[in-house]
Amino acid sequence: SNVAGLAPTITSATITGTPTVGQTLTAHSTGVTGVPTPTESYQWLSGGKAIPGANSSTYLVSSADYNQPITVTITETNSVGVASATSVPTAAVVGLAPTITSATITGTPTVGQTLTAHSAGVTGTPTPTESYQWLSGAKAIPNATGSTYLVQSSDYNQPITVTITETNTLGHASATSTPTKVTGVSPAVTTPQITVSGISPAGVGALTWSPSQTSGGATISGYQVEYSTDGGKTWITVPSSDVSGTSATIPGLSIGKAYSFRVVTQSSMGAVASAKIRATTFTQGPLDLPSRPFAAYHAGFSATLSNFRAIENTLKEISALRISRITLVGYAIYETRAKNGHGRYLTMNQVIQLAKSRALSAEKYLRMVDRRLHLAPPQFIINVKILNGKSHITNFELYRRVSLKV
């Protein structure tokens, strides 16, 4: 008769190796018997759960095993039967401190463009947290701690780098990118130009200015208005609440006192100040409106190019100072023996109408200029001033004019 075999037996299963992520563990069996000789198979377990595909005598600990105990079940099998043994659990798997191979930057290094940071070769268990610090000219950029960075005008011609740091509970590791130099158009901010300045009779200063222009990605954050009472040796800042866009209203100034004003552009390139400009209390009147000379009995108001520019500046100042009422005074001479050139004497009423017509003609002209400048016209009040007789007059132009009074 045939000799019968023996079913397998196994006394124990054990594990050697360090239970750390990235390390290799090895399974060992002891007390194995059986005829015919049993075939040995393995199943590795993490936290008591079978690990798919982990069926060899060795096992490479993965990050998924972090903080879990590892066991192995060894099974002996022959034609007569099977027997199994499971190892004692290892200590909980220990993680790995982070590593990082490199940091790189993609994107165009030009003012106004966005750069992106990338990491490579990152390891670590638990999975590391990634943080960033962008640098310009080897100096850390405040608040530039995201994975992207918008290149500023202050970075122009500077090398940009990024340091990426990987951190977990076991440590940290960093890598810094190769520098990339910012190129393109040199950023610049032009000086603001004050176009109107003045102080109203009530002691309210007013400024308007043309805005600064930018290039090369430079940006403007706002304007600061300052005034001085000592010719610019010291400057006092006007509260931001009194500044709106490209104009400012400055209350509380002294009547008749000379002030200097300047506008400072706050920009990504720093502060850019205008040239100082002086102003005193706006003339309370009368202010002669520059015009071509009036003929003796003519009322039409006209102006040369230089006259026109002077009138423009006056109206801009009136608008800036928010002066709402303007008096126009028309002048004329009444003389009982004067003729108008057509054989008729001018009566007092006619002389008054002549003076009034001169003022109305000037009003029409001023309204035309206001429209051209897109200014809100003030209310015009018409007055006349008549001089009786001319024998004592040495300057007839004094009574052939129109004056303005606020």
Side-chain angles (χ1 to χ4, degrees), residues 6 8 56 59 63 69-70 144-145 152 166 177 214 217 232 242-243 256 261 286 313 319 330 347 362 399:
L6 291 176
S56 68
Y59 175 64
S63 59
I70 300 295
T145 54
Q152 303 297 307
E166 308 292 338
S177 67
T214 62
D242 293 328
V243 180
F261 296 98
N313 290 334
S319 176
T347 66
Y399 281 82

Side-chain angles (χ1 to χ4, degrees), residues 129-352:
T129 300
E130 201 162 71
S131 60
Y132 310 86
Q133 177 61 65
W134 293 86
L135 302 95
S136 177
K139 295 182 180 180
I141 304 169
N143 302 316
T145 54
S147 61
T148 61
Y149 175 65
L150 180 64
V151 182
Q152 303 297 307
S153 56
S154 56
D155 302 319
Y156 177 72
N157 212 30
Q158 295 293 325
I160 297 293
T161 56
V162 65
T163 297
I164 302 178
T165 301
E166 308 292 338
T167 304
N168 68 11
T169 55
L170 299 176
H172 59 83
S174 299
T176 299
S177 67
T178 300
T180 179
K181 192 172 184 178
V182 175
T183 59
V185 178
S186 175
V189 178
T190 63
T191 301
Q193 300 298 316
I194 297 177
T195 54
V196 175
S197 67
I199 305 171
S200 75
V204 178
L207 285 182
T208 61
W209 58 91
S210 58
S212 295
Q213 303 300 310
T214 62
S215 60
T219 57
I220 295 174
S221 57
Y223 296 94
Q224 178 175 294
V225 176
E226 301 173 343
Y227 68 89
S228 172
T229 58
D230 55 13
K233 294 180 181 178
T234 59
W235 293 93
I236 300 170
T237 300
V238 174
S240 58
S241 57
D242 293 328
V243 180
S244 176
T246 56
S247 64
T249 302
I250 310 157
L253 303 182
S254 299
I255 302 300
K257 192 171 186 177
Y259 289 86
S260 297
F261 296 98
R262 71 179 182 184
V263 177
V264 179
T265 302
Q266 306 290 348
S267 75
S268 57
M269 300 302 296
V272 181
S274 67
K276 66 182 180 181
I277 189 168
R278 289 173 61 85
T280 55
T281 306
F282 187 84
T283 305
Q284 298 190 53
L287 171 69
D288 286 347
L289 286 178
S291 67
R292 296 182 186 275
F294 286 98
Y297 302 113
H298 290 179
F301 184 93
S302 62
T304 64
L305 180 59
S306 60
N307 292 158
F308 177 79
R309 288 174 177 166
I311 291 171
E312 271 191 333
N313 290 334
T314 298
L315 291 177
K316 287 179 181 178
E317 187 173 349
I318 288 170
S319 176
L321 294 172
R322 295 172 174 81
I323 296 172
S324 60
R325 290 165 60 92
I326 299 296
T327 298
L328 294 177
V329 181
Y331 293 77
I333 303 171
Y334 172 69
E335 51 179 329
T336 57
R337 295 182 181 180
K339 294 184 179 180
N340 64 1
H342 299 283
R344 292 177 299 170
Y345 293 102
L346 293 180
T347 66
M348 176 59 82
N349 284 339
Q350 288 174 323
V351 174
I352 290 173

Side-chain angles (χ1 to χ4, degrees), residues 44-98:
W44 292 87
L45 301 94
S46 178
K49 296 180 179 180
I51 303 169
N55 307 116
S56 68
S57 61
T58 59
Y59 175 64
L60 181 64
V61 182
S62 74
S63 59
D65 303 319
Y66 174 66
N67 215 29
Q68 298 293 327
I70 300 295
T71 56
V72 66
T73 296
I74 302 177
T75 301
E76 307 293 340
T77 303
N78 65 12
S79 57
V80 180
V82 295
S84 297
T86 299
S87 68
V88 173
T90 66
V93 171
V94 177
L96 286 176

